[in-house]
Amino acid sequence: MKENILVLLAASIAVLAGCSSTPAKVNEGPIHARTFSFVTSAKSSPAYADPRAAVHQMIHEAITKNLTARGLQKTDTPGDITVAYLVIVGDNASTELIDDYFGYGRDASPLHDKAQEAYTENKNPNYFQAGTLLIDLIDSKTFKLLKRGYASRPRLRNLPDDAKAARVQEAVDEILRDVQIAP
């Protein structure tokens, strides 16, 4: 039953990647880069105060693992490309946008609206929870959007941290599978 919900959810969110006032045109071809960095977050709550800090850490580690395997080096200073991401979590009734690492001046609300519409228009009467991870790769000099991708998964509660990390890695690998890196 959860697979049916996921298929319906993924199909409903297919428009998510292109419907936004953030840059919607994605450049084609390989990405010419040697380094990458993450959008910095202004939120600085201690890890024990924000349960999402552990999830952000898992997302950072998964993206870092994927991009370093492709030959990019992570840097704390601005890299050749900037990695921005947001998370949308929701159920049959509502959604929440977590855009701590999406950056400023990039309006994520249209993406949130599309996810809200997709999550809540599902006619399945059974309760479900789902999450969507959207990743943008941005040219750090021109700020052009080089790659946008997303993956949606049912939210599973009470998973051990290693199982959560594996699910995050699986989603990141799916999102970035078609990225071509050229030095």
PDB file of all heavy atoms in Angstrom, residues 120-141:
ATOM      1  N   THR A 120      -1.829  16.865  -0.638  1.00  0.00           N
ATOM      2  CA  THR A 120      -3.197  16.927  -0.115  1.00  0.00           C
ATOM      3  C   THR A 120      -4.260  16.563  -1.132  1.00  0.00           C
ATOM      4  O   THR A 120      -5.400  16.321  -0.758  1.00  0.00           O
ATOM      5  CB  THR A 120      -3.508  18.321   0.461  1.00  0.00           C
ATOM      6  OG1 THR A 120      -3.312  19.302  -0.548  1.00  0.00           O
ATOM      7  CG2 THR A 120      -2.628  18.617   1.668  1.00  0.00           C
ATOM      8  N   GLU A 121      -3.931  16.507  -2.427  1.00  0.00           N
ATOM      9  CA  GLU A 121      -4.945  16.136  -3.412  1.00  0.00           C
ATOM     10  C   GLU A 121      -5.089  14.626  -3.538  1.00  0.00           C
ATOM     11  O   GLU A 121      -5.975  14.137  -4.217  1.00  0.00           O
ATOM     12  CB  GLU A 121      -4.653  16.762  -4.771  1.00  0.00           C
ATOM     13  CG  GLU A 121      -3.541  16.100  -5.529  1.00  0.00           C
ATOM     14  CD  GLU A 121      -3.285  16.761  -6.877  1.00  0.00           C
ATOM     15  OE1 GLU A 121      -3.891  17.786  -7.197  1.00  0.00           O
ATOM     16  OE2 GLU A 121      -2.452  16.226  -7.612  1.00  0.00           O
ATOM     17  N   ASN A 122      -4.217  13.889  -2.881  1.00  0.00           N
ATOM     18  CA  ASN A 122      -4.291  12.438  -2.889  1.00  0.00           C
ATOM     19  C   ASN A 122      -5.633  12.004  -2.309  1.00  0.00           C
ATOM     20  O   ASN A 122      -5.983  12.366  -1.197  1.00  0.00           O
ATOM     21  CB  ASN A 122      -3.122  11.887  -2.046  1.00  0.00           C
ATOM     22  CG  ASN A 122      -3.066  10.382  -2.045  1.00  0.00           C
ATOM     23  OD1 ASN A 122      -3.988   9.715  -2.490  1.00  0.00           O
ATOM     24  ND2 ASN A 122      -1.972   9.865  -1.538  1.00  0.00           N
ATOM     25  N   LYS A 123      -6.382  11.230  -3.048  1.00  0.00           N
ATOM     26  CA  LYS A 123      -7.721  10.800  -2.611  1.00  0.00           C
ATOM     27  C   LYS A 123      -7.689   9.540  -1.753  1.00  0.00           C
ATOM     28  O   LYS A 123      -8.717   9.063  -1.309  1.00  0.00           O
ATOM     29  CB  LYS A 123      -8.617  10.552  -3.834  1.00  0.00           C
ATOM     30  CG  LYS A 123      -8.767  11.766  -4.731  1.00  0.00           C
ATOM     31  CD  LYS A 123      -9.385  12.926  -3.993  1.00  0.00           C
ATOM     32  CE  LYS A 123      -9.550  14.109  -4.931  1.00  0.00           C
ATOM     33  NZ  LYS A 123      -9.558  15.376  -4.272  1.00  0.00           N
ATOM     34  N   ASN A 124      -6.502   8.999  -1.528  1.00  0.00           N
ATOM     35  CA  ASN A 124      -6.382   7.801  -0.702  1.00  0.00           C
ATOM     36  C   ASN A 124      -6.819   8.141   0.718  1.00  0.00           C
ATOM     37  O   ASN A 124      -6.274   9.058   1.334  1.00  0.00           O
ATOM     38  CB  ASN A 124      -4.928   7.321  -0.719  1.00  0.00           C
ATOM     39  CG  ASN A 124      -4.740   6.020   0.021  1.00  0.00           C
ATOM     40  OD1 ASN A 124      -5.515   5.656   0.889  1.00  0.00           O
ATOM     41  ND2 ASN A 124      -3.682   5.311  -0.331  1.00  0.00           N
ATOM     42  N   PRO A 125      -7.797   7.430   1.278  1.00  0.00           N
ATOM     43  CA  PRO A 125      -8.283   7.760   2.616  1.00  0.00           C
ATOM     44  C   PRO A 125      -7.337   7.336   3.737  1.00  0.00           C
ATOM     45  O   PRO A 125      -7.514   7.737   4.883  1.00  0.00           O
ATOM     46  CB  PRO A 125      -9.607   7.001   2.706  1.00  0.00           C
ATOM     47  CG  PRO A 125      -9.422   5.828   1.802  1.00  0.00           C
ATOM     48  CD  PRO A 125      -8.540   6.320   0.681  1.00  0.00           C
ATOM     49  N   ASN A 126      -6.324   6.513   3.424  1.00  0.00           N
ATOM     50  CA  ASN A 126      -5.393   6.062   4.450  1.00  0.00           C
ATOM     51  C   ASN A 126      -4.389   7.163   4.767  1.00  0.00           C
ATOM     52  O   ASN A 126      -3.906   7.857   3.882  1.00  0.00           O
ATOM     53  CB  ASN A 126      -4.648   4.814   3.984  1.00  0.00           C
ATOM     54  CG  ASN A 126      -5.574   3.654   3.771  1.00  0.00           C
ATOM     55  OD1 ASN A 126      -6.387   3.347   4.628  1.00  0.00           O
ATOM     56  ND2 ASN A 126      -5.488   3.034   2.616  1.00  0.00           N
ATOM     57  N   TYR A 127      -4.070   7.282   6.029  1.00  0.00           N
ATOM     58  CA  TYR A 127      -3.112   8.277   6.468  1.00  0.00           C
ATOM     59  C   TYR A 127      -1.722   7.925   5.933  1.00  0.00           C
ATOM     60  O   TYR A 127      -1.336   6.762   5.883  1.00  0.00           O
ATOM     61  CB  TYR A 127      -3.072   8.343   7.997  1.00  0.00           C
ATOM     62  CG  TYR A 127      -2.067   9.322   8.531  1.00  0.00           C
ATOM     63  CD1 TYR A 127      -2.318  10.685   8.486  1.00  0.00           C
ATOM     64  CD2 TYR A 127      -0.856   8.886   9.044  1.00  0.00           C
ATOM     65  CE1 TYR A 127      -1.383  11.603   8.954  1.00  0.00           C
ATOM     66  CE2 TYR A 127       0.078   9.790   9.519  1.00  0.00           C
ATOM     67  CZ  TYR A 127      -0.196  11.147   9.469  1.00  0.00           C
ATOM     68  OH  TYR A 127       0.731  12.040   9.924  1.00  0.00           O
ATOM     69  N   PHE A 128      -0.956   8.911   5.506  1.00  0.00           N
ATOM     70  CA  PHE A 128       0.424   8.693   5.103  1.00  0.00           C
ATOM     71  C   PHE A 128       1.243   9.912   5.464  1.00  0.00           C
ATOM     72  O   PHE A 128       0.725  11.006   5.635  1.00  0.00           O
ATOM     73  CB  PHE A 128       0.540   8.413   3.595  1.00  0.00           C
ATOM     74  CG  PHE A 128       0.330   9.627   2.725  1.00  0.00           C
ATOM     75  CD1 PHE A 128       1.389  10.445   2.379  1.00  0.00           C
ATOM     76  CD2 PHE A 128      -0.933   9.951   2.269  1.00  0.00           C
ATOM     77  CE1 PHE A 128       1.191  11.569   1.588  1.00  0.00           C
ATOM     78  CE2 PHE A 128      -1.135  11.067   1.476  1.00  0.00           C
ATOM     79  CZ  PHE A 128      -0.074  11.879   1.127  1.00  0.00           C
ATOM     80  N   GLN A 129       2.535   9.702   5.586  1.00  0.00           N
ATOM     81  CA  GLN A 129       3.500  10.784   5.733  1.00  0.00           C
ATOM     82  C   GLN A 129       4.570  10.576   4.681  1.00  0.00           C
ATOM     83  O   GLN A 129       4.964   9.443   4.410  1.00  0.00           O
ATOM     84  CB  GLN A 129       4.151  10.777   7.115  1.00  0.00           C
ATOM     85  CG  GLN A 129       3.261  11.254   8.224  1.00  0.00           C
ATOM     86  CD  GLN A 129       4.041  11.401   9.520  1.00  0.00           C
ATOM     87  OE1 GLN A 129       4.944  10.637   9.808  1.00  0.00           O
ATOM     88  NE2 GLN A 129       3.677  12.392  10.302  1.00  0.00           N
ATOM     89  N   ALA A 130       5.030  11.679   4.091  1.00  0.00           N
ATOM     90  CA  ALA A 130       6.055  11.586   3.054  1.00  0.00           C
ATOM     91  C   ALA A 130       7.019  12.750   3.197  1.00  0.00           C
ATOM     92  O   ALA A 130       6.713  13.751   3.843  1.00  0.00           O
ATOM     93  CB  ALA A 130       5.414  11.592   1.671  1.00  0.00           C
ATOM     94  N   GLY A 131       8.161  12.591   2.588  1.00  0.00           N
ATOM     95  CA  GLY A 131       9.148  13.653   2.559  1.00  0.00           C
ATOM     96  C   GLY A 131       9.730  13.777   1.168  1.00  0.00           C
ATOM     97  O   GLY A 131       9.846  12.786   0.446  1.00  0.00           O
ATOM     98  N   THR A 132      10.065  14.993   0.787  1.00  0.00           N
ATOM     99  CA  THR A 132      10.691  15.266  -0.498  1.00  0.00           C
ATOM    100  C   THR A 132      11.973  16.045  -0.246  1.00  0.00           C
ATOM    101  O   THR A 132      11.967  17.013   0.510  1.00  0.00           O
ATOM    102  CB  THR A 132       9.750  16.093  -1.410  1.00  0.00           C
ATOM    103  OG1 THR A 132       8.560  15.344  -1.647  1.00  0.00           O
ATOM    104  CG2 THR A 132      10.414  16.418  -2.736  1.00  0.00           C
ATOM    105  N   LEU A 133      13.045  15.598  -0.859  1.00  0.00           N
ATOM    106  CA  LEU A 133      14.323  16.298  -0.818  1.00  0.00           C
ATOM    107  C   LEU A 133      14.564  16.858  -2.208  1.00  0.00           C
ATOM    108  O   LEU A 133      14.495  16.126  -3.203  1.00  0.00           O
ATOM    109  CB  LEU A 133      15.454  15.340  -0.436  1.00  0.00           C
ATOM    110  CG  LEU A 133      16.882  15.886  -0.523  1.00  0.00           C
ATOM    111  CD1 LEU A 133      17.098  17.038   0.458  1.00  0.00           C
ATOM    112  CD2 LEU A 133      17.888  14.763  -0.258  1.00  0.00           C
ATOM    113  N   LEU A 134      14.803  18.164  -2.307  1.00  0.00           N
ATOM    114  CA  LEU A 134      15.106  18.824  -3.567  1.00  0.00           C
ATOM    115  C   LEU A 134      16.515  19.396  -3.458  1.00  0.00           C
ATOM    116  O   LEU A 134      16.834  20.058  -2.474  1.00  0.00           O
ATOM    117  CB  LEU A 134      14.104  19.942  -3.856  1.00  0.00           C
ATOM    118  CG  LEU A 134      14.329  20.696  -5.154  1.00  0.00           C
ATOM    119  CD1 LEU A 134      13.000  20.903  -5.868  1.00  0.00           C
ATOM    120  CD2 LEU A 134      15.021  22.012  -4.926  1.00  0.00           C
ATOM    121  N   ILE A 135      17.357  19.097  -4.464  1.00  0.00           N
ATOM    122  CA  ILE A 135      18.739  19.580  -4.468  1.00  0.00           C
ATOM    123  C   ILE A 135      18.973  20.410  -5.720  1.00  0.00           C
ATOM    124  O   ILE A 135      18.624  19.994  -6.820  1.00  0.00           O
ATOM    125  CB  ILE A 135      19.749  18.412  -4.444  1.00  0.00           C
ATOM    126  CG1 ILE A 135      19.564  17.551  -3.186  1.00  0.00           C
ATOM    127  CG2 ILE A 135      21.189  18.938  -4.530  1.00  0.00           C
ATOM    128  CD1 ILE A 135      20.417  16.295  -3.166  1.00  0.00           C
ATOM    129  N   ASP A 136      19.561  21.593  -5.536  1.00  0.00           N
ATOM    130  CA  ASP A 136      19.997  22.450  -6.635  1.00  0.00           C
ATOM    131  C   ASP A 136      21.514  22.534  -6.617  1.00  0.00           C
ATOM    132  O   ASP A 136      22.117  22.704  -5.551  1.00  0.00           O
ATOM    133  CB  ASP A 136      19.454  23.874  -6.480  1.00  0.00           C
ATOM    134  CG  ASP A 136      18.004  24.024  -6.882  1.00  0.00           C
ATOM    135  OD1 ASP A 136      17.421  23.062  -7.425  1.00  0.00           O
ATOM    136  OD2 ASP A 136      17.447  25.116  -6.655  1.00  0.00           O
ATOM    137  N   LEU A 137      22.124  22.422  -7.791  1.00  0.00           N
ATOM    138  CA  LEU A 137      23.544  22.708  -7.956  1.00  0.00           C
ATOM    139  C   LEU A 137      23.626  24.017  -8.730  1.00  0.00           C
ATOM    140  O   LEU A 137      23.055  24.143  -9.818  1.00  0.00           O
ATOM    141  CB  LEU A 137      24.251  21.585  -8.718  1.00  0.00           C
ATOM    142  CG  LEU A 137      24.192  20.193  -8.081  1.00  0.00           C
ATOM    143  CD1 LEU A 137      24.949  19.185  -8.937  1.00  0.00           C
ATOM    144  CD2 LEU A 137      24.717  20.203  -6.663  1.00  0.00           C
ATOM    145  N   ILE A 138      24.316  24.995  -8.161  1.00  0.00           N
ATOM    146  CA  ILE A 138      24.333  26.357  -8.691  1.00  0.00           C
ATOM    147  C   ILE A 138      25.768  26.763  -8.999  1.00  0.00           C
ATOM    148  O   ILE A 138      26.679  26.518  -8.189  1.00  0.00           O
ATOM    149  CB  ILE A 138      23.726  27.323  -7.643  1.00  0.00           C
ATOM    150  CG1 ILE A 138      22.322  26.882  -7.276  1.00  0.00           C
ATOM    151  CG2 ILE A 138      23.759  28.763  -8.140  1.00  0.00           C
ATOM    152  CD1 ILE A 138      21.805  27.476  -5.976  1.00  0.00           C
ATOM    153  N   ASP A 139      25.972  27.400 -10.143  1.00  0.00           N
ATOM    154  CA  ASP A 139      27.278  27.950 -10.482  1.00  0.00           C
ATOM    155  C   ASP A 139      27.566  29.089  -9.510  1.00  0.00           C
ATOM    156  O   ASP A 139      26.795  30.040  -9.408  1.00  0.00           O
ATOM    157  CB  ASP A 139      27.277  28.466 -11.927  1.00  0.00           C
ATOM    158  CG  ASP A 139      28.640  28.971 -12.359  1.00  0.00           C
ATOM    159  OD1 ASP A 139      29.173  29.900 -11.702  1.00  0.00           O
ATOM    160  OD2 ASP A 139      29.166  28.462 -13.359  1.00  0.00           O
ATOM    161  N   SER A 140      28.658  28.992  -8.769  1.00  0.00           N
ATOM    162  CA  SER A 140      28.956  29.971  -7.724  1.00  0.00           C
ATOM    163  C   SER A 140      29.340  31.348  -8.259  1.00  0.00           C
ATOM    164  O   SER A 140      29.267  32.331  -7.524  1.00  0.00           O
ATOM    165  CB  SER A 140      30.082  29.455  -6.818  1.00  0.00           C
ATOM    166  OG  SER A 140      29.660  28.288  -6.152  1.00  0.00           O
ATOM    167  N   LYS A 141      29.731  31.439  -9.519  1.00  0.00           N
ATOM    168  CA  LYS A 141      30.099  32.736 -10.091  1.00  0.00           C
ATOM    169  C   LYS A 141      28.912  33.417 -10.769  1.00  0.00           C
ATOM    170  O   LYS A 141      28.698  34.607 -10.599  1.00  0.00           O
ATOM    171  CB  LYS A 141      31.237  32.562 -11.088  1.00  0.00           C
ATOM    172  CG  LYS A 141      32.544  32.193 -10.433  1.00  0.00           C
ATOM    173  CD  LYS A 141      33.674  32.093 -11.434  1.00  0.00           C
ATOM    174  CE  LYS A 141      34.955  31.777 -10.697  1.00  0.00           C
ATOM    175  NZ  LYS A 141      35.558  30.559 -11.077  1.00  0.00           N
TER     176      LYS A 141
END
